[in-house]
Amino acid sequence: LVQSNYYDNFSYFYGYGFGNNDGNNNGQSYEEQSAGSGIIVEQTDTELLVVTNNHVVEGADSLSIQFVDGESVEGSVKGTDTKADVAVVAIKLSDIKESTLKTIKATLGNSDEVTVGEGVIAIGNALGYGQSVTSGIISAKDREVTFDNNNTMKLLQTDAAINGGNSGGALINAKGEVIGI
């Protein structure tokens, strides 16, 4: 849900009608779609579990997950950690076609074993246009970053291009193992 500060550009330019044209400066709100990426980390007897960034799913009324084969299914947020900006999304196995299940898999690696200068690949949904791939190197390890809520994390730094929609996507090493999100 996005909140605007004025009714429309015409009203704003001519200095009247702020808010909803009744003198109220509350603005208007409207729904907006967002996009992100995720990594399948586990399959239980009933669910497929996907890790993504919390900011990708935070405040969402509904979630639609699209797999690389174009199949889309509904999912639900299973849990979140706002401090680490991580979320887990659950998808019912009964909602996923068997052919789709056969095409998906992620192998987790160990980010502690990464070396500076090592080649990496970022896979995601850049700008919401579908699957994209960029490459780069690990520029630094244990890079300490402090966010606006005084949350400090140690992160991998890469020069692989990351765009909006890539959030939650896989950062993989040359072995094809997921070493970061």
Side-chain angles (χ1 to χ4, degrees):
L1 195 61
V2 178
Q3 185 78 26
S4 69
N5 293 327
Y6 52 87
Y7 185 72
D8 61 25
N9 288 336
F10 180 78
S11 299
Y12 180 74
F13 181 76
Y14 288 101
Y16 66 89
F18 285 103
N20 359 359
N21 272 351
D22 62 3
N24 184 342
N25 285 333
N26 292 332
Q28 287 188 324
S29 61
Y30 56 94
E31 286 188 11
E32 184 174 86
Q33 277 190 344
S34 65
S37 303
I39 304 163
I40 299 165
V41 292
E42 188 173 342
Q43 180 176 324
T44 69
D45 291 338
T46 59
E47 298 175 316
L48 196 63
L49 300 176
V50 176
V51 171
T52 187
N53 288 121
N54 180 63
H55 72 266
V56 170
V57 299
E58 189 173 40
D61 292 332
S62 64
L63 297 175
S64 178
I65 293 86
Q66 183 177 33
F67 296 100
V68 69
D69 66 355
E71 175 77 7
S72 290
V73 297
E74 295 301 310
S76 61
V77 176
K78 187 142 183 127
T80 63
D81 181 340
T82 55
K83 188 174 180 181
D85 192 25
V86 175
V88 176
V89 173
I91 307 161
K92 293 178 186 174
L93 285 178
S94 59
D95 292 344
I96 306 171
K97 292 189 316 190
E98 188 65 34
S99 59
T100 298
L101 282 172
K102 289 180 180 179
T103 64
I104 52 180
K105 181 184 178 204
T107 303
L108 300 181
N110 185 342
S111 60
D112 290 337
E113 296 175 1
V114 172
T115 59
V116 173
E118 181 177 341
V120 292
I121 299 169
I123 301 174
N125 180 24
L127 307 174
Y129 291 124
Q131 187 176 19
S132 66
V133 178
T134 59
S135 65
I137 61 167
I138 294 294
S139 306
K141 286 180 66 171
D142 298 323
R143 180 72 73 198
E144 196 167 289
V145 177
T146 302
F147 300 92
D148 56 0
N149 60 358
N150 291 326
N151 180 26
T152 301
M153 298 175 74
K154 288 189 177 182
L155 306 170
L156 294 175
Q157 179 182 343
T158 181
D159 67 348
I162 308 294
N163 297 288
N166 277 114
S167 292
L171 183 68
I172 62 174
N173 63 18
K175 298 176 195 171
E177 300 168 330
V178 177
I179 56 166
I181 296 176

